[in-house]
Amino acid sequence: MSSKRVNKYFILSTYVFALMRMTTSQDVYVFDDTSGLGRTFDGIGALSGGGATSKLLPGYPEQQRNEILDYLFKPNFGAALQILKVEIGGGSQSGIGSEATHIYYDGDENYERGYEWWIMVEAKKRNPDIKLYGLPWVMSGWVGNGTSKSPYTYPDRTATYIVKWILAAKKYYNLTIDYIGEWNEQQYDAKYLKILRKALDNAGLQNVRIVAADDYQGELVVDLGNDLFLDTELATAIDIFGVHYTSTSSTIDQILSGKKLWASEDYSTINTLLGGRCWARILNQNYVNGLMTSTIAWNLIASYYQGMPYDRCGLMTAYSPWSGYYSVDTPIWMSAHTTQFTKIGWKYLSRQTGVGHLKHGGSYVALTSPDRKDLTIIIETMAYNASQCLHEVLTKYDVHKQNLTLKLTGSFRYIDSLFVWYSQIGDETQKANLVLFESLKPLQVVNGTVKLTVDVNQIYTLTTVSGGSKGKHPDPPVSKPFPLPYVDTFEDVPYHQEPYFLSPMAGSFEVVLGKNGKRVIRQMTVLPPVDWCETENFSLALVGNISWHDIFVETSFSLDVPYAAKGVFVAVRVNSGGCYTAGGEGIFFHIFPGDGQYQIYNDAKRSMLLGFGPISGLNASGWNRIAMVIKDYFATAYINGQLLFGIRVPLLPDHGFVGLGTSGFGHADFDYICVMSSDDGSKYQTCKYM
Ligand SMILES: *[C@@H]1O[C@H](CO)[C@@H](O)[C@H](O)[C@H]1NC(C)=O
Ligand SMILES: *[C@@H]1O[C@H](CO)[C@@H](O)[C@H](O)[C@H]1NC(C)=O
Ligand SMILES: *[C@@H]1O[C@H](CO)[C@@H](O)[C@H](O)[C@H]1NC(C)=O
Ligand SMILES: *[C@@H]1O[C@H](CO)[C@@H](O)[C@H](O)[C@H]1NC(C)=O
Ligand SMILES: *[C@@H]1O[C@H](CO)[C@@H](O)[C@H](O)[C@H]1NC(C)=O
Ligand SMILES: *[C@@H]1O[C@H](CO)[C@@H](O)[C@H](O)[C@H]1NC(C)=O
Ligand SMILES: *[C@@H]1O[C@H](CO)[C@@H](O)[C@H](O)[C@H]1NC(C)=O
Ligand SMILES: *[C@@H]1O[C@H](CO)[C@@H](O)[C@H](O)[C@H]1NC(C)=O
């Protein structure tokens, strides 16, 4: 009824506007619940992992770490996230880095590894209502029974692996996992999904809802949509249709499936003003265009080394733990516009009576509480050229300054004033024109009507909900370069945790008690993993600065461990990480004690051999120090402080990270890592800081 009135008004107003250009236009938008509401809101969230995106966060000083967690999770403070999705680590590369797994091989099982448990605990501490969602990328070779085969080859094993993780969340951390996914951006498997559902039910996890198929840009959803119609058991097993990067739209199949629709991974955009605008637009338009009731950002926090792929594609940035510096970026405040004034379980209003596009560009959504007493309206007017998300296909559109008349009827007719929260994200060139989540004077509702003028690149929240606030901690310390010399003996790291600054790219590293009675890091991956990125055939952890040209690195290793690797290496000028790790170049000094040989390579995969020779000076029974110093285009290597060789190296790569790892999978222990200037290295031939 009221929607017809709006349409008439639209036509009339266009007509009048065309006739008399001087006439002021008033576009009327009705907010009404009398003919029903839209879908149930499931929350705005973000993803830690996929992979290792929160890597550097645990290494922050406690104060800054807590501040960062407040900006992400604390209600009425910052992003106030309503869902936290995490990676179920697989002990190998899953995007930006590698995350630990809870089972490396038969007989191994441990729930103290990695940082995702900790992040979930910290999120729950701040917001007990936050929902938790787990999803694997790469999976431990254990699920493939050591064969690296698809996780659907042994579906019961894979289901067991997932169920164990969920049960452990409760047992060790009192965490309830609300949602579980299948296999990130890979073909789904109907048989496995049914087996997973049964395994969850049998373990008393009936309340854990399955999200499928977490596929990229809807590549597989057509099939899943069909399968859901044809297969009732499958349809019962799945609760949520989760899709990634669909440019705010859903297909007819998805909508007709009757399942909840989620943008279960989205955003993926640099968190400059551009990222803020992208996020503001899709948070509204994923519902307006695609009826998606949850949007989850990849990623939660850009807490990985600069030089990795997807630089700063997080809601905020924390890539400098040694200095304590972090930045609270625009997407944090764009999240707040929705999260601080809604709750999971609220409902969107219907299209045309509370949800839609603005006549002169932009969009609006409205949500109401179950008792319909509270109403939150979010309006965004992000410009086309400045709000495109990274993986998005965006059709050109125009946005203009416009006058809005909002009419509140139905249950909302008694509302007499609305709190106002406002942001203006101007062009990159107009930083002065930047307002982030400021509270304005409340708007009075006169005769059920509110008038508002909106301009380009703005976001407004009009709400009956009080208590919103723009949280502020003291400014963090200034950013500093990675400190040199850098010596890490890992003695301050809890057992089973990763070294703080070493960032695993292949394989996985955790602190264990070494045979020398000290804390050492052990490379943990022994079975070839069920890969998500390109298969690697080695382990590698990076540290430092991708700009390093001349540098010295030393470690002390032991292969006197069960499931020992054949060899270990140190590396310099490693120029590639993330899913591009296997294609990375650098100078890699491998040592194979069993073969009595060293080899030096120009690449991570060991396809470009630069030299080799016999080892001397090795203590076969114990720990051995290996070191390499590079200065311009000459590299020198040492064993236990004794010169092993010097070699001219190629001009490329010219600079990169320092690294260590194992040649092939298998355990190896590293007692420390020392990185210092190449001048000191050339002079002392061993780490003078040890
Ligand atoms: C909005 O309203 C103001 C005054 O009420 C008027 O001056 C202005 O032209 C209007 N803008 C548009 C785009 O109609
Ligand atoms: C797993 O591997 C072991 C030995 O490698 C083999 O004995 C066993 O049959 C395999 N299990 C399955 C389910 O194939
Ligand atoms: C576990 O969490 C629930 C809330 O989810 C809480 O009520 C309960 O007190 C917690 N139990 C312990 C032992 O902390
Ligand atoms: C967007 O387009 C407007 C007008 O066409 C231009 O002034 C502005 O600089 C553009 N902004 C960006 C970020 O490209
Ligand atoms: C409210 O609406 C009534 C009836 O449409 C009208 O008579 C009255 O003048 C309006 N009041 C204001 C303040 O606009
Ligand atoms: C890396 O090194 C470059 C060049 O020396 C420097 O400008 C930059 O600040 C360093 N960054 C970090 C994170 O150390
Ligand atoms: C791993 O590397 C070794 C040594 O280069 C090679 O023999 C082996 O075939 C490789 N395995 C895989 C799975 O690439
Ligand atoms: C070799 O290592 C063993 C075990 O750590 C140690 O006892 C021995 O002294 C070492 N020998 C030399 C020559 O360093």
Side-chain angles (χ1 to χ4, degrees):
M1 207 170 68
S2 32
S3 75
K4 272 189 195 142
R5 216 182 303 141
V6 180
N7 286 341
K8 256 190 228 158
Y9 196 94
F10 277 177
I11 296 160
L12 182 65
S13 108
T14 320
Y15 191 62
V16 172
F17 192 75
L19 284 178
M20 304 172 59
R21 303 209 90 207
M22 295 307 292
T23 307
T24 57
S25 89
Q26 287 291 345
D27 304 321
V28 178
Y29 300 90
V30 174
F31 296 82
D32 185 13
D33 65 339
T34 47
S35 45
L37 294 171
R39 295 189 173 210
T40 301
F41 175 64
D42 295 309
I44 303 300
L47 170 49
S48 173
T53 52
S54 304
K55 165 66 212 173
L56 297 174
L57 191 56
Y60 265 75
E62 195 181 350
Q63 184 190 334
Q64 281 81 33
R65 212 171 55 196
N66 281 323
E67 292 170 0
I68 291 166
L69 292 162
D70 286 347
Y71 284 114
L72 294 171
F73 300 117
K74 197 172 162 185
N76 291 325
F77 193 85
L81 295 172
Q82 296 155 321
I83 299 186
L84 171 61
K85 180 174 175 179
V86 302
E87 175 174 352
I88 301 174
S92 191
Q93 179 58 243
S94 50
I96 306 293
S98 168
E99 299 198 27
T101 184
H102 50 295
I103 307 178
Y104 284 101
Y105 48 86
D106 275 327
D108 172 63
E109 201 172 332
N110 183 296
Y111 298 94
E112 292 169 47
R113 293 174 178 146
Y115 31 80
E116 303 299 359
W117 302 116
W118 168 75
I119 290 178
M120 286 192 280
V121 167
E122 292 295 327
K124 274 277 181 198
K125 214 192 271 175
R126 287 165 175 79
N127 175 11
D129 293 333
I130 198 166
K131 299 285 181 189
L132 301 176
Y133 170 4
L135 177 68
W137 270 248
V138 60
M139 290 190 228
S140 168
W142 183 84
V143 307
N145 199 22
T147 62
S148 201
K149 283 185 182 150
S150 147
Y152 309 136
T153 315
Y154 306 108
D156 294 301
R157 244 176 124 85
T158 305
T160 300
Y161 176 78
I162 297 299
V163 167
K164 276 174 176 286
W165 184 87
I166 298 173
L167 291 173
K170 179 55 99 189
K171 183 171 174 193
Y172 298 107
Y173 300 99
N174 194 25
L175 294 170
T176 302
I177 303 299
D178 301 284
Y179 304 105
I180 195 78
E182 188 194 26
W183 190 16
N184 185 66
E185 293 177 7
Q186 301 288 326
Q187 183 59 257
Y188 69 94
D189 186 85
K191 184 171 157 220
Y192 169 69
L193 285 166
K194 293 183 221 173
I195 287 173
L196 177 63
R197 181 69 267 165
K198 281 205 193 103
L200 291 168
D201 293 346
N202 290 342
L205 298 170
Q206 291 85 354
N207 292 333
V208 180
R209 310 323 310 173
I210 295 182
V211 184
D214 275 300
D215 64 326
Y216 181 72
Q217 292 188 343
E219 277 168 1
L220 312 172
V221 289
V222 177
D223 300 328
L224 182 57
N226 288 339
D227 282 2
L228 285 175
F229 287 121
L230 299 173
D231 185 338
T232 41
E233 194 192 343
L234 180 65
T236 315
I238 292 171
D239 297 281
I240 294 143
F241 217 133
V243 291
H244 298 184
Y245 308 103
T246 61
S247 305
T248 75
S249 64
S250 294
T251 64
I252 290 295
D253 265 4
Q254 286 163 15
I255 292 168
L256 293 182
S257 75
K259 298 293 171 192
K260 284 173 173 292
L261 306 179
W262 283 12
S264 52
E265 188 186 315
D266 214 332
Y267 174 66
S268 213
T269 300
I270 189 163
N271 60 27
T272 55
L273 303 188
L274 170 70
R277 287 184 289 244
C278 143
W279 186 231
R281 186 172 48 73
I282 65 176
L283 284 183
N284 264 21
Q285 297 207 15
N286 273 340
Y287 189 74
V288 174
N289 303 331
L291 292 176
M292 286 174 267
T293 53
S294 171
T295 297
I296 296 176
W298 184 86
N299 53 61
L300 174 70
I301 182 156
S303 204
Y304 39 94
Y305 278 111
Q306 284 179 282
M308 289 295 130
Y310 296 95
D311 187 38
R312 290 182 60 189
C313 287
L315 298 182
M316 60 182 282
T317 311
Y319 51 37
S320 189
W322 45 87
S323 64
Y325 168 79
Y326 63 85
S327 68
V328 183
D329 301 300
T330 49
I332 291 292
W333 305 117
M334 296 306 103
S335 312
H337 271 286
T338 299
T339 56
Q340 292 200 9
F341 312 103
T342 56
K343 280 196 159 56
I344 289 173
W346 282 34
K347 285 193 175 246
Y348 282 100
L349 271 57
S350 295
R351 274 173 162 164
Q352 306 311 330
T353 56
V355 166
H357 288 276
L358 295 177
K359 193 157 175 244
H360 302 288
S363 70
Y364 62 101
V365 295
L367 300 100
T368 184
S369 54
D371 62 8
R372 306 201 186 180
K373 287 200 172 118
D374 277 312
L375 177 71
T376 292
I377 300 169
I378 304 129
I379 299 166
E380 62 76 27
T381 56
M382 298 302 146
Y384 166 78
N385 65 347
S387 73
Q388 189 157 1
C389 310
L390 185 64
H391 298 301
E392 193 176 32
V393 180
L394 190 60
T395 313
K396 181 130 179 48
Y397 63 88
D398 291 319
V399 186
H400 301 286
K401 189 171 180 178
Q402 52 198 305
N403 294 324
L404 314 179
T405 299
L406 314 183
K407 280 196 183 296
L408 311 187
T409 64
S411 302
F412 315 120
R413 67 186 181 280
Y414 303 112
I415 294 171
D416 57 11
S417 104
L418 291 165
F419 297 104
V420 181
W421 289 84
Y422 165 68
S423 295
Q424 160 81 62
I425 316 188
D427 291 335
E428 304 297 333
T429 50
Q430 314 168 338
K431 287 236 166 104
N433 209 357
L434 184 62
V435 180
L436 291 172
F437 196 60
E438 296 294 346
S439 151
L440 303 183
K441 207 168 78 210
L443 277 173
Q444 297 312 306
V445 184
V446 179
N447 255 1
T449 300
V450 173
K451 288 187 193 297
L452 181 71
T453 300
V454 297
D455 207 338
V456 182
N457 289 330
Q458 294 183 340
I459 175 164
Y460 279 93
T461 301
L462 312 182
T463 182
T464 56
V465 178
S466 60
S469 85
K470 188 175 183 183
K472 176 93 181 92
H473 282 303
D475 287 339
V478 295
S479 178
K480 290 193 201 103
F482 188 92
L484 282 181
Y486 163 66
V487 179
D488 197 345
T489 57
F490 318 118
E491 294 300 326
D492 61 337
V493 184
Y495 287 120
H496 304 296
Q497 284 297 299
E498 289 183 14
Y500 294 125
F501 298 170
L502 261 88
S503 185
M505 290 294 132
S508 192
F509 296 77
E510 74 180 47
V511 168
V512 299
L513 181 63
K515 277 202 178 159
N516 56 4
K518 298 198 284 176
R519 285 178 201 233
V520 303
I521 51 169
R522 175 167 295 171
Q523 199 296 113
M524 295 299 295
T525 302
V526 296
L527 301 174
V530 178
D531 267 317
W532 190 75
C533 303
E534 191 187 341
T535 301
E536 293 118 17
N537 191 8
F538 56 88
S539 73
L540 168 67
L542 298 179
V543 68
N545 188 328
I546 198 170
S547 301
W548 282 342
H549 176 73
D550 290 344
I551 202 81
F552 168 94
V553 55
E554 180 177 284
T555 187
S556 174
F557 74 92
S558 167
L559 287 170
D560 182 15
V561 284
Y563 304 104
K566 284 193 74 177
V568 299
F569 65 85
V570 288
V572 295
R573 294 189 189 166
V574 183
N575 67 356
S576 193
C579 277
Y580 311 106
T581 299
E585 296 176 339
I587 308 299
F588 295 78
F589 164 37
H590 289 257
I591 179 151
F592 299 93
D595 300 341
Q597 207 192 50
Y598 74 83
Q599 294 172 357
I600 185 153
Y601 287 92
N602 202 184
D603 64 339
K605 271 200 291 226
R606 284 195 281 150
S607 63
M608 298 190 295
L609 186 67
L610 298 176
F612 64 95
I615 306 171
S616 55
L618 206 64
N619 180 347
S621 61
W623 292 83
N624 289 282
R625 283 175 288 139
I626 55 171
M628 176 163 52
V629 56
I630 189 155
K631 230 183 147 179
D632 277 328
Y633 300 99
F634 203 76
T636 318
Y638 303 90
I639 293 183
N640 295 321
Q642 305 287 308
L643 178 69
L644 184 64
F645 66 83
I647 186 174
R648 278 207 77 76
V649 297
L651 300 185
L652 292 174
D654 182 61
H655 53 85
F657 292 101
V658 154
L660 57 72
T662 56
S663 335
F665 293 117
H667 289 165
D669 287 355
F670 301 88
D671 186 25
Y672 63 85
I673 182 167
C674 168
V675 184
M676 59 186 193
S677 80
S678 55
D679 287 340
D680 281 353
S682 304
K683 188 162 156 199
Y684 298 100
Q685 305 185 355
T686 183
C687 180
K688 70 164 179 164
Y689 300 97
M690 282 308 300

